[in-house]
Amino acid sequence: MKQPMKLNTRIYSIIIFIILLALVMYITQTQYFQQFSHSRHNENLTESWKAEAASASSLSPQSGPPYCLAYDSRDEFSAKVNMQASRTLGYMKKEAVTTDLSKKKLNPSGCAAVLLTVRDLSSIASPDVLASYAEQGGHVLLTSMPEQNDAFYRLYRKLGILNAGNYKDEAGVQLEGEVLIGESGLHIDDSFIMNTVMQVELDSSVTVHAATSAGTPLLWSVPSGKGSFMVFNGTMLQEKINRGLIAGAISMMVPDFIYPVFNSKLVYIDDWPAPYGSSIDDAIYKTYKLNRHGFIKEIWWPDMLGVAKRNDIKYTAVLIESYQNRVTPPFGSPSDADPNGLISYGREIIKSGGEIGLHGYNHQSLTMDQDTSAAFDYRPWNSTSDMTQSIQEAVSYAKQGFPEYTMFTYVPPSNVLSPEGREAIKAGWKSLSVISSLFPEDAAGISYVQEFELAKDGVMEMPRVTSGYKSTPFEQWAAASVLTANGIFSHFIHPDDVLDAERNKNMNWESMYKNFSEMMSGLNERYPWLRPQTSMEAAVDMKNTLTSRVDLQQDDGSIKGSVKPFENESYFILRTRKKVGSLSGCSADKIGDGIFLITVRKADFTIHLSEA
């Protein structure tokens, strides 16, 4: 009689391995094809954006008492600070009422808080108005170093100042607490942060939140009766990149302060995929014995995928079809195009959860202005029609590689885009939904500088904030400022930075890779709550955040909120010294000292608070 056949342990192991491998392949392929389904869903979304955009409110304020801004239109500095404060409050969905002190007296009665953007306190009919307002429970933020005059000396003790000395220009900033979220103790000792400050001796009741590198108090708060004063003893708040200080000051000054944020972590790769060719770069070849194509394929890209996997990043890669400088038709089939690279790298981008967008047919910025083009050694375009045809060719090139995939995001080469170029893109690419250029101001006036907003034509303006493989003092400050004000990290890099001595700061790839890895891991340590998103994923949520209305009812024991229309989830930052108790329709995660990320999961939500 035959004995039944027995399978040994090794055969069982092989069978299990095959089953697991098949499962992994199935999941991977499913995720890959889900991206195409997701792409079709986004097409329907963006069509509705464009239909609604003309009438949609880009920054719909919440209900409740207004925040009162007071400035002097005759003073350019005051007007600039006022604009930055107004923008900050707009993103926070706080209703702002502005008083031009050159035309009208300030009446703080009924204001949730007063933001004063003049240095000359005599602009107010009587400083006693502010003192009385604070005594009765109001909160006043002085956004600029005050001038020493009779009006100042009538109020200075209320500001926590015992003695006021000379003015001095001082660089740098030291944070004593989390004025900027996640950056307690941050010290930026760099001259890009420069303030004219008043030398002061402060009362013991004052809490200093920031100082210059030399130690002069820069931002402090002081109680006054039932209310308080917050004083910024500097002159840097006229600059857009410092809005985080305004947001931090307001949110620490007003008790139980809550405001919406985007909660997005974005990393763009410009010029990827792109035709890098097989040139020999001496430094690369000496280290890796590889040409340019081999280095990108075997070293750079696997390293970048590794950073993404370890640090929970989704890349938005924006492609280039050609590096030829052609700006006149025809544009079809450039000799340096790399369709095989587009397909192989594009598949990996999509499989890793990323997104493919467009950087351009080539790397010539879409402008007909000769001076602007010359600044980058580019060629100006001859007509809007030529620009449109180049975009059509690039979109067609992407479709040849991925017939079922739709691109939505455009990143302008060198962050330059003329009004004519913007119209050309729309004419040649119907699914254009997002333009991502730059957030920081450009002193040269060349860059396409944006706000986070839904344009009237339905295109989401979604700027990048920082760039590069290494976190410089400026990049660290800019990122922290925008994260505090808007809750978004948006960064970009280029594959060919490693090939350019000026851009790589004479670092080799090993150093650049190490710095980039540390920057991304450091970001995760300070801001573990940020959601990794692609450009289009972030744009969908940003549109909902910007156009929704937030109504809040607050008392000592609770915050009751309503978000309409409500889509998926909404996110808020709550600053409070109270204990967060029971919650309804939302959750609360502590992300700092007295700082909570509120995730709203229902249109109506409640946060109960009690004394700590």
Side-chain angles (χ1 to χ4, degrees):
M1 184 176 175
K2 291 185 177 180
Q3 295 293 323
M5 185 177 65
K6 294 182 178 180
L7 299 178
N8 63 33
T9 304
R10 184 176 180 185
I11 294 174
Y12 276 122
S13 299
I14 292 171
I15 292 172
I16 292 170
F17 174 76
I18 291 171
I19 293 171
L20 290 174
L21 180 62
L23 183 62
V24 169
M25 291 179 66
Y26 171 77
I27 292 172
T28 301
Q29 291 300 316
T30 300
Q31 290 174 335
Y32 178 66
F33 288 111
Q34 279 178 344
Q35 292 293 325
F36 292 93
S37 175
H38 197 50
S39 177
R40 287 190 290 273
H41 173 67
N42 285 339
E43 285 188 73
N44 296 330
L45 278 179
T46 56
E47 285 176 7
S48 67
W49 286 5
K50 292 168 185 177
E52 300 169 3
S55 59
S57 173
S58 181
L59 290 169
S60 179
Q62 69 177 36
S63 61
Y67 285 70
C68 299
L69 294 163
Y71 83 112
D72 187 339
S73 62
R74 299 165 301 183
D75 181 345
E76 183 181 0
F77 175 84
S78 176
K80 285 182 178 179
V81 177
N82 184 74
M83 185 271 289
Q84 304 300 355
S86 179
R87 273 285 187 180
T88 302
L89 289 168
Y91 285 124
M92 290 175 156
K93 292 187 181 288
K94 308 300 184 187
E95 183 180 354
V97 174
T98 303
T99 299
D100 182 352
L101 296 174
S102 69
K103 302 174 182 177
K104 187 179 177 182
K105 293 180 180 179
L106 171 66
N107 178 11
S109 177
C111 298
V114 171
L115 279 67
L116 196 63
T117 65
V118 291
R119 291 172 291 187
D120 182 1
L121 297 180
S122 66
S123 301
I124 305 168
S126 171
D128 296 335
V129 170
L130 292 179
S132 176
Y133 168 72
E135 285 287 332
Q136 295 171 30
H139 304 280
V140 181
L141 170 60
L142 275 63
T143 62
S144 307
M145 173 272 303
E147 295 178 2
Q148 295 179 25
N149 54 26
D150 289 344
F152 167 77
Y153 285 112
R154 288 178 62 180
L155 190 65
Y156 80 111
R157 294 300 296 269
K158 294 286 186 181
L159 304 180
I161 301 173
L162 293 176
N163 291 298
N166 296 327
Y167 299 109
K168 189 177 180 182
D169 291 339
E170 293 187 4
V173 63
Q174 304 176 68
L175 302 185
E176 304 299 330
E178 285 189 84
V179 182
L180 300 186
I181 297 172
E183 297 293 353
S184 180
L186 175 67
H187 184 194
I188 301 289
D189 189 11
D190 195 288
S191 60
F192 80 84
I193 294 180
M194 183 65 68
N195 285 282
T196 300
V197 294
M198 182 191 303
Q199 305 300 302
V200 291
E201 179 186 351
L202 299 178
D203 188 270
S204 60
S205 62
V206 163
T207 300
V208 176
H209 305 290
T212 66
S213 289
T216 301
L218 188 61
L219 178 70
W220 66 82
S221 59
V222 59
S224 182
K226 296 179 181 178
S228 68
F229 283 93
M230 180 78 74
V231 181
F232 184 74
N233 180 32
T235 51
M236 66 187 285
L237 296 187
Q238 62 175 317
E239 297 171 9
K240 181 179 183 181
I241 208 63
N242 299 319
R243 285 182 194 165
L245 282 179
I246 299 175
I250 295 171
S251 62
M252 290 191 304
M253 177 179 69
V254 179
D256 309 326
F257 189 88
I258 185 169
Y259 63 101
V261 291
F262 302 129
N263 190 9
S264 299
K265 176 173 63 176
L266 301 170
V267 179
Y268 293 79
I269 307 179
D270 292 6
D271 305 291
W272 184 248
Y276 284 100
S278 55
S279 303
I280 298 291
D281 298 276
D282 292 341
I284 295 296
Y285 191 80
K286 181 179 179 181
T287 304
Y288 301 104
K289 298 299 184 286
L290 294 169
N291 62 20
R292 186 174 294 188
H293 172 79
F295 168 75
I296 293 290
K297 180 180 180 180
E298 297 182 31
I299 306 297
W300 178 84
W301 182 229
D303 282 350
M304 293 300 295
L305 286 174
V307 173
K309 186 175 182 179
R310 288 193 303 274
N311 296 285
D312 204 14
I313 294 168
K314 294 182 177 182
Y315 291 130
T316 298
V318 289
L319 68 86
I320 287 284
E321 182 177 355
S322 171
Y323 279 113
Q324 295 174 357
N325 296 333
R326 178 182 288 276
V327 292
T328 55
F331 297 110
S333 303
S335 59
D336 64 336
D338 182 15
N340 292 330
L342 169 64
I343 293 170
S344 62
Y345 294 129
R347 280 180 177 272
E348 291 180 307
I349 292 163
I350 294 169
K351 281 183 180 180
S352 67
E355 175 185 339
I356 301 173
L358 182 62
H359 204 31
Y361 162 73
N362 56 16
H363 211 279
Q364 302 298 300
S365 300
L366 297 182
T367 177
M368 293 184 284
D369 184 79
Q370 292 189 355
D371 292 337
T372 301
S373 298
F376 299 95
D377 199 24
Y378 293 162
R379 294 181 180 179
W381 295 78
N382 296 315
S383 67
T384 302
S385 174
D386 289 353
M387 290 188 275
T388 297
Q389 290 182 59
S390 77
I391 293 296
Q392 290 171 332
E393 165 57 27
V395 172
S396 175
Y397 171 70
K399 278 291 184 184
Q400 290 170 23
F402 299 96
E404 300 301 316
Y405 190 81
T406 301
M407 297 188 299
F408 298 99
T409 297
Y410 177 74
V411 171
S414 299
N415 298 300
V416 170
L417 180 63
S418 67
E420 298 82 8
R422 195 178 187 281
E423 293 304 311
I425 304 169
K426 289 161 53 181
W429 180 15
K430 298 304 181 184
S431 63
L432 170 71
S433 304
V434 184
I435 297 177
S436 291
S437 186
L438 288 182
F439 180 82
E441 292 163 305
D442 174 24
I446 294 176
S447 298
Y448 184 72
V449 176
Q450 301 169 289
E451 294 286 346
F452 300 104
E453 59 188 352
L454 179 63
K456 291 297 183 183
D457 57 9
V459 174
M460 182 62 68
E461 303 280 348
M462 201 167 73
R464 288 94 58 84
V465 180
T466 54
S467 64
Y469 289 87
K470 184 176 182 179
S471 183
T472 65
F474 178 83
E475 306 295 338
Q476 187 175 2
W477 178 262
S481 179
V482 176
L483 274 161
T484 299
N486 305 104
I488 185 170
F489 174 82
S490 186
H491 188 83
F492 70 95
I493 53 173
H494 307 84
D496 59 349
D497 284 350
V498 68
L499 308 174
D500 187 298
E502 183 176 342
R503 281 187 282 158
N504 64 34
K505 308 290 191 295
N506 293 313
M507 291 188 295
N508 59 22
W509 173 242
E510 294 300 319
S511 297
M512 294 173 70
Y513 170 59
K514 180 175 181 290
N515 285 329
F516 186 61
S517 296
E518 290 175 350
M519 180 178 14
M520 293 297 105
S521 64
L523 178 75
N524 280 356
E525 289 173 8
R526 296 190 303 278
Y527 306 97
W529 47 274
L530 283 174
R531 295 177 300 160
Q533 292 189 302
T534 67
S535 176
M536 189 57 190
E537 288 171 347
V540 170
D541 289 346
M542 185 175 290
K543 183 264 181 185
N544 294 334
T545 300
L546 289 172
T547 58
S548 64
R549 178 178 176 84
V550 176
D551 290 315
L552 296 172
Q553 295 179 1
Q554 295 183 241
D555 55 39
D556 288 340
S558 68
I559 299 172
K560 294 182 179 180
S562 173
V563 180
K564 295 179 181 178
F566 181 76
E567 301 284 347
N568 199 11
E569 293 181 339
S570 296
Y571 299 89
F572 292 77
I573 294 294
L574 168 64
R575 293 241 199 186
T576 182
R577 287 298 164 192
K578 295 176 182 174
K579 182 179 178 180
V580 175
S582 61
L583 303 164
S584 173
C586 63
S587 61
D589 296 292
K590 189 173 183 180
I591 61 173
D593 183 16
I595 308 172
F596 296 85
L597 176 71
I598 305 297
T599 303
V600 174
R601 296 188 171 88
K602 293 184 179 179
D604 298 306
F605 64 97
T606 303
I607 304 167
H608 290 283
L609 302 172
S610 60
E611 294 301 326

